[in-house]
Amino acid sequence: MELNQLTIHELKEKLLSREITSVDIVESVFNRIDQVEGKVHAYISLLREDALRGAAGADQKIQEGAGGELCGIPVALKDILCTKGVKTTCGSRILQNFIPPYDATVVEALRRAGAVFVGKANMDEFAMGSSTETSYFGVTRNPWALDRIPGGSSGGSAAAVAADECIASLGSDTGGSIRQPAALCGVVGMKPTYGRVSRFGLIAFASSLDQIGPFTKDVEDCAIMMNVIAGYDPKDSTSVPQDVPDYRAFLNRDIAGWTVGIPREYFRDGMDPEVSAAVKKAIAVVEDQGARCIDISLPHTDYCVAVYYIVAPAEASSNLARYDGVKYGYRAENCRDLLDMYKKTRSEGFGAEVKRRIMLGTYALSSGYYDAYYKKASQVRARIKEDFAEAFKRCDVILTPTSPTPAFKIGEKTEDPLQMYLSDIFTISANLAGIPGISVPCGYSGRGLPVGVQFLAGHFEEGKLLQIAHNYERHAHIERRRPEL
Ligand code: GLN
């Protein structure tokens, strides 16, 4: 095995026993990038020099017996996370030359833990998409099938981990953007509870839904990343001042006696039969471990996608008002006056999907329509949240498919936004309710494309998710394949 293929916990052991150095790991990661990045295109920018320098510093720390939880580990960051002095584009032309003057809190946390940054990962423009096809910087390809999408919007972060072009990465999830690409690329991805991880320095899409979370090669690494990024931050007023448990303490535990809810609304005809078969096998695995699987109902499920496509665009239309060519970012040239400058800047700076969302959101918030759309959607959102509260009275966690299909072909859904929006049909509800979710690989389709199973839990129950996901991972015996590139 090459070093770039190993997990954080495997590498840490080798680093601490001085068997290898961080420079060895970073070199191995960049060798891999040199071999496969031309095919995958997981990154918008690479930080080779910085990473090598960081690795040398990490090795020094390890020599001194110091160094944090991620000392010397190469990590990728979705290009929606602000990095001081390093270009942060959010996948958009409008920010193509934007260099933030500060680090996001999660970036600071990773830095403090000793992580080494490999690069900024590709993404759908402003995180709007499910396929990474809306990026101004070109599409990322699924490492398991280069003619297919990696999922989105954090497709670059997922593909980079799957292709061993980094050891772990961070993404953001507003309606499924961590869990769906994790499933489609065969890696682990977690969206924490709303408020669990600081969003200071995360470029805003939909502020009542956005969360930052990790992509990793296994569940243990997910716990390690969560230990580093979770916690209250006075710079983010929506982060919650609640103690963070040691997430590793939830690993290697059994789930005997647990009740697992299987929501009937998530297992309907029309779902891809191979996804359905793999997820049914996952149910059998957790039952085998002594959990009782019960039928539950989340009655407002049918409204989730509709509610999301009112709430998210409404918030986005307001958040994206700041890109006007005045303060920072792209500014159109040869403008007649201020209004002309605004118009040209935004017409040239934003791509088609972002414009679609701004129009949807502006319409939904406009006077005379606000009550019919935004207010109504907020009311239905409250019902969706109640569905989960009711369900968690009867079960510890909920099990569902992560995505209704394995990775689809590049271009397959770009002409049909509704079909694209339906890729998140199983993930959106967790964002609307603010609850945490994790996607774990649960098998392959006949074509060899990865399939993921999703676990959901109540607010701040990430520990429970890691416990069942780790238990599942250890007992499911999913064949460990690697994409051929
Ligand atoms: N695919 C959904 C959208 O396009 C979710 C994106 C996300 O989670 N950032 O809005």
Side-chain angles (χ1 to χ4, degrees):
M1 285 260 256
E2 302 291 332
L3 294 180
N4 63 315
Q5 300 182 334
L6 301 180
T7 61
I8 299 174
H9 56 96
E10 287 164 344
L11 289 168
K12 269 184 79 171
E13 235 184 84
K14 292 187 189 296
L15 281 169
L16 293 180
S17 66
R18 312 282 202 275
E19 192 187 313
I20 58 166
T21 65
S22 173
V23 171
D24 296 336
I25 308 172
V26 169
E27 279 175 352
S28 152
V29 163
F30 277 96
N31 279 340
R32 176 71 174 170
I33 288 173
D34 290 339
Q35 285 163 11
V36 304
E37 177 60 6
K39 297 181 191 166
V40 179
H41 186 40
Y43 290 99
I44 292 176
S45 20
L46 287 165
L47 303 168
R48 194 183 297 253
E49 303 304 315
D50 289 356
L52 281 166
R53 215 172 313 118
D59 285 331
Q60 183 73 37
K61 283 227 168 92
I62 294 168
Q63 281 299 328
E64 292 160 4
E69 185 82 16
L70 295 174
C71 198
I73 304 293
V75 172
L77 301 168
K78 184 177 183 179
D79 210 17
I80 195 169
L81 294 166
C82 286
T83 39
K84 186 173 177 175
V86 173
K87 199 176 63 174
T88 301
T89 69
C90 216
S92 183
R93 182 179 189 197
I94 215 154
L95 289 176
Q96 98 179 284
N97 295 315
F98 173 56
I99 298 187
Y102 61 88
D103 274 332
T105 295
V106 289
V107 172
E108 238 173 40
L110 290 179
R111 221 187 268 289
R112 217 176 310 119
V116 172
F117 300 125
V118 179
K120 306 292 299 281
N122 197 16
M123 55 180 284
D124 280 300
E125 185 177 5
F126 283 99
M128 297 169 186
S130 305
S131 64
T132 316
E133 289 169 295
T134 73
S135 171
Y136 177 65
F137 302 94
V139 64
T140 295
R141 293 168 184 276
N142 191 312
W144 295 89
L146 294 171
D147 58 343
R148 289 177 188 263
I149 56 96
S153 64
S154 317
S157 301
V161 173
D164 300 311
E165 293 184 74
C166 65
I167 307 303
S169 64
L170 288 185
S172 65
D173 188 314
T174 304
S177 279
I178 293 174
R179 291 159 289 155
Q180 184 256 21
L184 271 39
C185 288
V187 300
V188 174
M190 178 185 265
K191 180 200 94 72
T193 306
Y194 186 78
R196 178 75 296 182
V197 175
S198 167
R199 301 177 304 168
F200 178 75
L202 168 75
I203 296 175
F205 165 9
S207 305
S208 75
L209 302 163
D210 298 339
Q211 253 299 289
I212 298 168
F215 288 93
T216 54
K217 300 188 191 199
D218 68 7
V219 176
E220 183 168 345
D221 278 5
C222 181
I224 296 173
M225 291 288 280
M226 282 298 295
N227 275 350
V228 174
I229 62 171
Y232 173 65
D233 175 14
K235 289 188 199 141
D236 173 2
S237 61
T238 62
S239 78
V240 177
Q242 184 165 319
D243 287 346
V244 181
D246 175 5
Y247 289 115
R248 288 187 84 148
F250 293 89
L251 306 175
N252 297 307
R253 289 201 196 165
D254 67 30
I255 53 161
W258 280 33
T259 307
V260 176
I262 313 293
R264 64 183 85 116
E265 292 83 0
Y266 287 62
F267 289 84
R268 286 213 181 124
D269 301 342
M271 183 163 47
D272 183 285
E274 293 183 311
V275 170
S276 160
V279 174
K280 286 196 174 131
K281 266 197 202 149
I283 296 175
V285 172
V286 300
E287 273 180 332
D288 226 41
Q289 292 306 307
R292 195 165 59 93
C293 291
I294 60 164
D295 167 61
I296 61 163
S297 172
L298 297 166
H300 295 89
T301 297
D302 276 354
Y303 303 109
C304 286
V305 173
V307 167
Y308 174 87
Y309 278 96
I310 299 292
V311 173
E315 294 179 7
S317 71
S318 154
N319 274 325
L320 271 57
R322 71 190 71 173
Y323 306 104
D324 57 6
V326 176
K327 297 175 278 292
Y328 59 93
Y330 176 76
R331 176 186 293 186
E333 284 173 21
N334 304 323
C335 304
R336 265 175 302 156
D337 51 26
L338 185 64
L339 191 60
D340 190 44
M341 193 277 282
Y342 285 157
K343 282 186 182 165
K344 277 199 183 132
T345 295
R346 289 168 68 84
S347 304
E348 292 167 14
F350 291 134
E353 184 60 31
V354 173
K355 287 178 189 161
R356 181 181 292 130
R357 305 287 177 112
I358 292 174
M359 285 190 272
L360 279 172
T362 306
Y363 182 80
L365 290 178
S366 55
S367 131
Y369 294 104
Y370 178 87
D371 283 356
Y373 291 107
Y374 192 76
K375 193 167 162 214
K376 189 78 177 177
S378 304
Q379 288 165 338
V380 180
R381 182 178 181 178
R383 299 283 94 76
I384 291 165
K385 208 169 161 184
E386 280 165 17
D387 282 356
F388 280 104
E390 279 305 308
F392 288 125
K393 286 182 188 157
R394 294 182 57 212
C395 59
D396 295 281
V397 294
I398 291 173
L399 183 159
T400 80
T402 307
S403 159
T405 63
F408 45 91
K409 288 247 172 79
I410 291 173
E412 194 178 320
K413 300 193 182 182
T414 37
E415 298 309 312
D416 189 348
L418 187 59
Q419 277 309 311
M420 188 71 88
Y421 296 173
L422 290 173
S423 318
D424 291 308
I425 192 159
F426 301 141
T427 46
I428 278 174
S429 54
N431 303 76
L432 291 171
I435 59 171
I438 190 170
S439 179
V440 188
C442 72
Y444 303 90
S445 73
R447 279 209 170 78
L449 300 169
V451 178
V453 60
Q454 172 177 242
F455 297 103
L456 302 170
H459 295 99
F460 296 98
E461 302 270 34
E462 284 83 357
K464 266 190 181 169
L465 291 183
L466 291 163
Q467 183 166 345
I468 191 162
H470 192 241
N471 186 279
Y472 170 74
E473 183 186 63
R474 275 182 304 143
H475 296 103
H477 305 296
I478 305 295
E479 186 196 339
R480 190 151 172 114
R481 304 185 194 164
R482 302 206 103 85
E484 277 172 38
L485 276 164

Short mmCIF file of all heavy atoms in Angstrom, two decimals, residues 174-221:
data_model
loop_
_atom_site.label_atom_id
_atom_site.label_comp_id
_atom_site.label_asym_id
_atom_site.label_seq_id
_atom_site.Cartn_x
_atom_site.Cartn_y
_atom_site.Cartn_z
N THR A 174 -25.69 21.70 2.61
CA THR A 174 -26.85 22.57 2.78
C THR A 174 -28.13 21.77 2.54
O THR A 174 -29.16 22.04 3.13
CB THR A 174 -26.74 23.75 1.77
OG1 THR A 174 -25.50 24.40 1.99
CG2 THR A 174 -27.87 24.74 1.94
N GLY A 175 -27.99 20.75 1.65
CA GLY A 175 -29.13 19.89 1.36
C GLY A 175 -28.67 18.46 1.06
O GLY A 175 -29.45 17.64 0.59
N GLY A 176 -27.39 18.20 1.29
CA GLY A 176 -26.88 16.85 1.01
C GLY A 176 -25.47 16.86 0.45
O GLY A 176 -24.91 15.81 0.12
N SER A 177 -24.89 18.03 0.34
CA SER A 177 -23.62 18.20 -0.39
C SER A 177 -22.40 17.51 0.20
O SER A 177 -21.35 17.50 -0.44
CB SER A 177 -23.31 19.67 -0.56
OG SER A 177 -24.04 20.18 -1.64
N ILE A 178 -22.51 16.95 1.41
CA ILE A 178 -21.43 16.09 1.89
C ILE A 178 -21.86 14.63 1.72
O ILE A 178 -21.12 13.81 1.17
CB ILE A 178 -21.11 16.36 3.39
CG1 ILE A 178 -20.51 17.76 3.54
CG2 ILE A 178 -20.15 15.29 3.93
CD1 ILE A 178 -20.27 18.18 4.98
N ARG A 179 -23.06 14.33 2.14
CA ARG A 179 -23.47 12.91 2.19
C ARG A 179 -23.67 12.32 0.80
O ARG A 179 -23.29 11.17 0.55
CB ARG A 179 -24.76 12.80 3.03
CG ARG A 179 -24.50 13.08 4.51
CD ARG A 179 -25.78 13.48 5.23
NE ARG A 179 -26.23 14.80 4.82
CZ ARG A 179 -27.48 15.25 4.87
NH1 ARG A 179 -28.44 14.45 5.30
NH2 ARG A 179 -27.78 16.47 4.47
N GLN A 180 -24.26 13.08 -0.11
CA GLN A 180 -24.53 12.54 -1.46
C GLN A 180 -23.21 12.26 -2.21
O GLN A 180 -23.02 11.16 -2.72
CB GLN A 180 -25.50 13.46 -2.21
CG GLN A 180 -25.92 12.97 -3.57
CD GLN A 180 -25.21 13.73 -4.69
OE1 GLN A 180 -24.16 14.32 -4.46
NE2 GLN A 180 -25.77 13.69 -5.90
N PRO A 181 -22.26 13.21 -2.29
CA PRO A 181 -21.00 12.87 -2.97
C PRO A 181 -20.21 11.79 -2.22
O PRO A 181 -19.51 11.00 -2.86
CB PRO A 181 -20.23 14.20 -3.02
CG PRO A 181 -20.94 15.14 -2.11
CD PRO A 181 -22.33 14.65 -1.96
N ALA A 182 -20.31 11.74 -0.90
CA ALA A 182 -19.64 10.66 -0.16
C ALA A 182 -20.18 9.32 -0.65
O ALA A 182 -19.41 8.38 -0.94
CB ALA A 182 -19.85 10.82 1.34
N ALA A 183 -21.50 9.21 -0.76
CA ALA A 183 -22.12 7.96 -1.21
C ALA A 183 -21.66 7.62 -2.63
O ALA A 183 -21.29 6.48 -2.92
CB ALA A 183 -23.64 8.07 -1.15
N LEU A 184 -21.67 8.62 -3.51
CA LEU A 184 -21.37 8.37 -4.91
C LEU A 184 -19.89 8.09 -5.16
O LEU A 184 -19.52 7.53 -6.20
CB LEU A 184 -21.85 9.56 -5.77
CG LEU A 184 -23.30 9.49 -6.28
CD1 LEU A 184 -24.29 8.95 -5.30
CD2 LEU A 184 -23.76 10.82 -6.85
N CYS A 185 -19.04 8.50 -4.23
CA CYS A 185 -17.61 8.24 -4.38
C CYS A 185 -17.10 7.14 -3.46
O CYS A 185 -15.89 6.85 -3.43
CB CYS A 185 -16.81 9.53 -4.12
SG CYS A 185 -16.98 10.74 -5.44
N GLY A 186 -17.98 6.54 -2.67
CA GLY A 186 -17.56 5.41 -1.84
C GLY A 186 -16.69 5.79 -0.65
O GLY A 186 -15.79 5.05 -0.26
N VAL A 187 -16.97 6.96 -0.04
CA VAL A 187 -16.24 7.35 1.17
C VAL A 187 -17.24 7.69 2.27
O VAL A 187 -18.45 7.66 2.05
CB VAL A 187 -15.29 8.54 0.90
CG1 VAL A 187 -14.25 8.17 -0.17
CG2 VAL A 187 -16.05 9.79 0.48
N VAL A 188 -16.71 8.00 3.47
CA VAL A 188 -17.58 8.37 4.59
C VAL A 188 -17.73 9.88 4.61
O VAL A 188 -16.75 10.61 4.41
CB VAL A 188 -16.94 7.89 5.92
CG1 VAL A 188 -17.74 8.39 7.12
CG2 VAL A 188 -16.84 6.36 5.94
N GLY A 189 -18.95 10.36 4.82
CA GLY A 189 -19.18 11.81 4.91
C GLY A 189 -20.21 12.13 5.96
O GLY A 189 -21.25 11.48 6.02
N MET A 190 -19.90 13.11 6.81
CA MET A 190 -20.85 13.47 7.87
C MET A 190 -21.25 14.93 7.82
O MET A 190 -20.42 15.82 7.69
CB MET A 190 -20.26 13.20 9.26
CG MET A 190 -21.21 13.63 10.38
SD MET A 190 -20.52 13.45 12.04
CE MET A 190 -21.16 11.86 12.47
N LYS A 191 -22.57 15.15 7.92
CA LYS A 191 -23.09 16.50 8.17
C LYS A 191 -23.45 16.58 9.64
O LYS A 191 -24.35 15.90 10.10
CB LYS A 191 -24.35 16.80 7.36
CG LYS A 191 -24.87 18.22 7.65
CD LYS A 191 -26.34 18.41 7.29
CE LYS A 191 -27.30 18.18 8.43
NZ LYS A 191 -27.32 19.23 9.48
N PRO A 192 -22.73 17.40 10.39
CA PRO A 192 -23.05 17.51 11.82
C PRO A 192 -24.35 18.28 12.07
O PRO A 192 -24.92 18.86 11.14
CB PRO A 192 -21.85 18.28 12.37
CG PRO A 192 -20.79 18.22 11.30
CD PRO A 192 -21.53 18.12 10.02
N THR A 193 -24.78 18.30 13.32
CA THR A 193 -25.95 19.09 13.74
C THR A 193 -25.73 20.56 13.38
O THR A 193 -24.61 21.07 13.49
CB THR A 193 -26.09 18.99 15.27
OG1 THR A 193 -26.13 17.63 15.66
CG2 THR A 193 -27.36 19.70 15.76
N TYR A 194 -26.81 21.24 13.01
CA TYR A 194 -26.74 22.70 12.81
C TYR A 194 -26.28 23.34 14.12
O TYR A 194 -26.92 23.15 15.15
CB TYR A 194 -28.13 23.21 12.42
CG TYR A 194 -28.14 24.68 12.05
CD1 TYR A 194 -27.70 25.10 10.81
CD2 TYR A 194 -28.59 25.64 12.96
CE1 TYR A 194 -27.70 26.44 10.46
CE2 TYR A 194 -28.59 26.98 12.62
CZ TYR A 194 -28.14 27.37 11.37
OH TYR A 194 -28.14 28.70 11.03
N GLY A 195 -25.16 24.04 14.08
CA GLY A 195 -24.65 24.67 15.31
C GLY A 195 -23.50 23.93 15.96
O GLY A 195 -22.87 24.44 16.89
N ARG A 196 -23.19 22.72 15.47
CA ARG A 196 -22.12 21.93 16.10
C ARG A 196 -20.73 22.41 15.68
O ARG A 196 -19.76 22.34 16.44
CB ARG A 196 -22.33 20.45 15.75
CG ARG A 196 -21.32 19.46 16.25
CD ARG A 196 -21.39 19.11 17.72
NE ARG A 196 -21.13 20.22 18.62
CZ ARG A 196 -21.11 20.15 19.95
NH1 ARG A 196 -21.34 18.98 20.54
NH2 ARG A 196 -20.86 21.20 20.69
N VAL A 197 -20.63 22.85 14.42
CA VAL A 197 -19.34 23.27 13.87
C VAL A 197 -19.45 24.74 13.45
O VAL A 197 -20.43 25.12 12.80
CB VAL A 197 -18.96 22.40 12.64
CG1 VAL A 197 -17.68 22.89 11.99
CG2 VAL A 197 -18.84 20.94 13.03
N SER A 198 -18.49 25.52 13.80
CA SER A 198 -18.52 26.95 13.45
C SER A 198 -18.50 27.15 11.94
O SER A 198 -17.75 26.51 11.22
CB SER A 198 -17.32 27.66 14.04
OG SER A 198 -17.20 28.96 13.44
N ARG A 199 -19.31 28.10 11.47
CA ARG A 199 -19.32 28.42 10.05
C ARG A 199 -18.65 29.75 9.76
O ARG A 199 -18.77 30.27 8.65
CB ARG A 199 -20.76 28.43 9.54
CG ARG A 199 -21.43 27.10 9.77
CD ARG A 199 -22.85 27.15 9.33
NE ARG A 199 -23.56 28.22 10.02
CZ ARG A 199 -24.75 28.64 9.66
NH1 ARG A 199 -25.36 28.09 8.64
NH2 ARG A 199 -25.35 29.61 10.32
N PHE A 200 -17.95 30.29 10.73
CA PHE A 200 -17.23 31.53 10.48
C PHE A 200 -16.21 31.27 9.37
O PHE A 200 -15.39 30.35 9.47
CB PHE A 200 -16.52 31.99 11.76
CG PHE A 200 -15.71 33.24 11.55
CD1 PHE A 200 -16.32 34.49 11.44
CD2 PHE A 200 -14.32 33.18 11.45
CE1 PHE A 200 -15.57 35.63 11.23
CE2 PHE A 200 -13.57 34.32 11.25
CZ PHE A 200 -14.19 35.55 11.13
N GLY A 201 -16.30 32.04 8.30
CA GLY A 201 -15.37 31.84 7.18
C GLY A 201 -15.85 30.83 6.16
O GLY A 201 -15.14 30.53 5.21
N LEU A 202 -17.07 30.31 6.34
CA LEU A 202 -17.70 29.49 5.30
C LEU A 202 -18.50 30.46 4.44
O LEU A 202 -19.35 31.18 4.98
CB LEU A 202 -18.65 28.46 5.92
CG LEU A 202 -19.58 27.73 4.94
CD1 LEU A 202 -18.82 26.70 4.13
CD2 LEU A 202 -20.74 27.07 5.67
N ILE A 203 -18.27 30.51 3.15
CA ILE A 203 -19.02 31.43 2.30
C ILE A 203 -20.48 30.98 2.30
O ILE A 203 -20.78 29.82 2.03
CB ILE A 203 -18.41 31.48 0.88
CG1 ILE A 203 -16.98 32.05 0.98
CG2 ILE A 203 -19.28 32.31 -0.05
CD1 ILE A 203 -16.22 32.05 -0.33
N ALA A 204 -21.37 31.90 2.65
CA ALA A 204 -22.76 31.54 2.92
C ALA A 204 -23.54 31.21 1.66
O ALA A 204 -23.45 31.91 0.65
CB ALA A 204 -23.44 32.67 3.67
N PHE A 205 -24.32 30.12 1.72
CA PHE A 205 -25.29 29.79 0.68
C PHE A 205 -26.67 30.01 1.30
O PHE A 205 -27.32 31.00 1.03
CB PHE A 205 -25.02 28.37 0.20
CG PHE A 205 -26.11 27.70 -0.62
CD1 PHE A 205 -27.22 28.38 -1.08
CD2 PHE A 205 -26.00 26.35 -0.95
CE1 PHE A 205 -28.21 27.75 -1.83
CE2 PHE A 205 -26.98 25.71 -1.71
CZ PHE A 205 -28.09 26.40 -2.13
N ALA A 206 -27.11 29.10 2.16
CA ALA A 206 -28.40 29.24 2.83
C ALA A 206 -28.15 29.12 4.33
O ALA A 206 -27.93 28.02 4.85
CB ALA A 206 -29.37 28.17 2.35
N SER A 207 -28.19 30.25 5.00
CA SER A 207 -27.65 30.31 6.36
C SER A 207 -28.38 29.47 7.40
O SER A 207 -27.80 29.11 8.41
CB SER A 207 -27.60 31.76 6.82
OG SER A 207 -26.87 32.52 5.88
N SER A 208 -29.65 29.13 7.16
CA SER A 208 -30.34 28.32 8.17
C SER A 208 -30.13 26.83 7.91
O SER A 208 -30.66 25.99 8.64
CB SER A 208 -31.84 28.65 8.19
OG SER A 208 -32.50 28.07 7.08
N LEU A 209 -29.35 26.49 6.88
CA LEU A 209 -29.16 25.08 6.50
C LEU A 209 -27.69 24.65 6.45
O LEU A 209 -27.38 23.48 6.67
CB LEU A 209 -29.78 24.83 5.12
CG LEU A 209 -31.26 25.15 4.94
CD1 LEU A 209 -31.61 25.26 3.47
CD2 LEU A 209 -32.12 24.08 5.59
N ASP A 210 -26.79 25.58 6.12
CA ASP A 210 -25.38 25.23 5.86
C ASP A 210 -24.70 24.61 7.09
O ASP A 210 -24.85 25.11 8.20
CB ASP A 210 -24.56 26.50 5.55
CG ASP A 210 -25.01 27.25 4.30
OD1 ASP A 210 -25.66 26.65 3.44
OD2 ASP A 210 -24.66 28.45 4.19
N GLN A 211 -23.93 23.57 6.89
CA GLN A 211 -23.04 23.01 7.92
C GLN A 211 -21.77 22.52 7.25
O GLN A 211 -21.79 22.11 6.09
CB GLN A 211 -23.69 21.84 8.66
CG GLN A 211 -24.14 22.16 10.08
CD GLN A 211 -23.04 22.59 11.04
OE1 GLN A 211 -22.22 21.78 11.44
NE2 GLN A 211 -23.00 23.86 11.39
N ILE A 212 -20.68 22.53 8.00
CA ILE A 212 -19.39 22.02 7.52
C ILE A 212 -19.18 20.62 8.10
O ILE A 212 -19.56 20.38 9.25
CB ILE A 212 -18.25 22.94 8.01
CG1 ILE A 212 -18.42 24.35 7.42
CG2 ILE A 212 -16.88 22.36 7.64
CD1 ILE A 212 -17.52 25.40 8.07
N GLY A 213 -18.59 19.73 7.33
CA GLY A 213 -18.31 18.40 7.87
C GLY A 213 -17.21 17.70 7.09
O GLY A 213 -16.78 18.18 6.04
N PRO A 214 -16.75 16.55 7.61
CA PRO A 214 -15.62 15.84 7.01
C PRO A 214 -15.98 14.75 6.00
O PRO A 214 -17.05 14.15 6.07
CB PRO A 214 -14.97 15.17 8.23
CG PRO A 214 -16.08 14.96 9.21
CD PRO A 214 -17.13 16.00 8.93
N PHE A 215 -15.03 14.51 5.09
CA PHE A 215 -15.00 13.32 4.22
C PHE A 215 -13.79 12.51 4.65
O PHE A 215 -12.68 13.07 4.75
CB PHE A 215 -14.77 13.70 2.76
CG PHE A 215 -15.92 14.35 2.09
CD1 PHE A 215 -16.04 15.73 2.07
CD2 PHE A 215 -16.89 13.59 1.45
CE1 PHE A 215 -17.11 16.33 1.42
CE2 PHE A 215 -17.95 14.19 0.79
CZ PHE A 215 -18.07 15.57 0.78
N THR A 216 -13.96 11.22 4.86
CA THR A 216 -12.82 10.40 5.29
C THR A 216 -12.90 9.02 4.65
O THR A 216 -13.90 8.66 4.03
CB THR A 216 -12.85 10.23 6.83
OG1 THR A 216 -14.13 9.74 7.22
CG2 THR A 216 -12.57 11.56 7.55
N LYS A 217 -11.80 8.26 4.82
CA LYS A 217 -11.75 6.92 4.24
C LYS A 217 -12.44 5.89 5.12
O LYS A 217 -12.77 4.80 4.66
CB LYS A 217 -10.29 6.51 3.99
CG LYS A 217 -9.63 7.50 3.03
CD LYS A 217 -8.26 7.13 2.54
CE LYS A 217 -7.70 8.36 1.83
NZ LYS A 217 -6.62 8.14 0.93
N ASP A 218 -12.59 6.20 6.40
CA ASP A 218 -13.37 5.30 7.25
C ASP A 218 -14.02 6.07 8.40
O ASP A 218 -13.82 7.29 8.54
CB ASP A 218 -12.53 4.10 7.72
CG ASP A 218 -11.42 4.49 8.70
OD1 ASP A 218 -11.37 5.66 9.12
OD2 ASP A 218 -10.62 3.60 9.03
N VAL A 219 -14.79 5.35 9.21
CA VAL A 219 -15.58 6.01 10.26
C VAL A 219 -14.68 6.50 11.39
O VAL A 219 -14.91 7.57 11.97
CB VAL A 219 -16.68 5.05 10.78
CG1 VAL A 219 -17.44 5.68 11.94
CG2 VAL A 219 -17.64 4.67 9.65
N GLU A 220 -13.63 5.75 11.69
CA GLU A 220 -12.72 6.19 12.76
C GLU A 220 -12.13 7.56 12.41
O GLU A 220 -12.06 8.46 13.25
CB GLU A 220 -11.60 5.15 12.96
CG GLU A 220 -10.68 5.53 14.11
CD GLU A 220 -9.74 4.40 14.53
OE1 GLU A 220 -9.96 3.23 14.14
OE2 GLU A 220 -8.78 4.70 15.27
N ASP A 221 -11.71 7.73 11.17
CA ASP A 221 -11.18 9.03 10.74
C ASP A 221 -12.23 10.13 10.85
O ASP A 221 -11.89 11.29 11.15
CB ASP A 221 -10.68 8.96 9.28
CG ASP A 221 -9.28 8.36 9.17
OD1 ASP A 221 -8.74 7.92 10.21
OD2 ASP A 221 -8.73 8.35 8.05
#
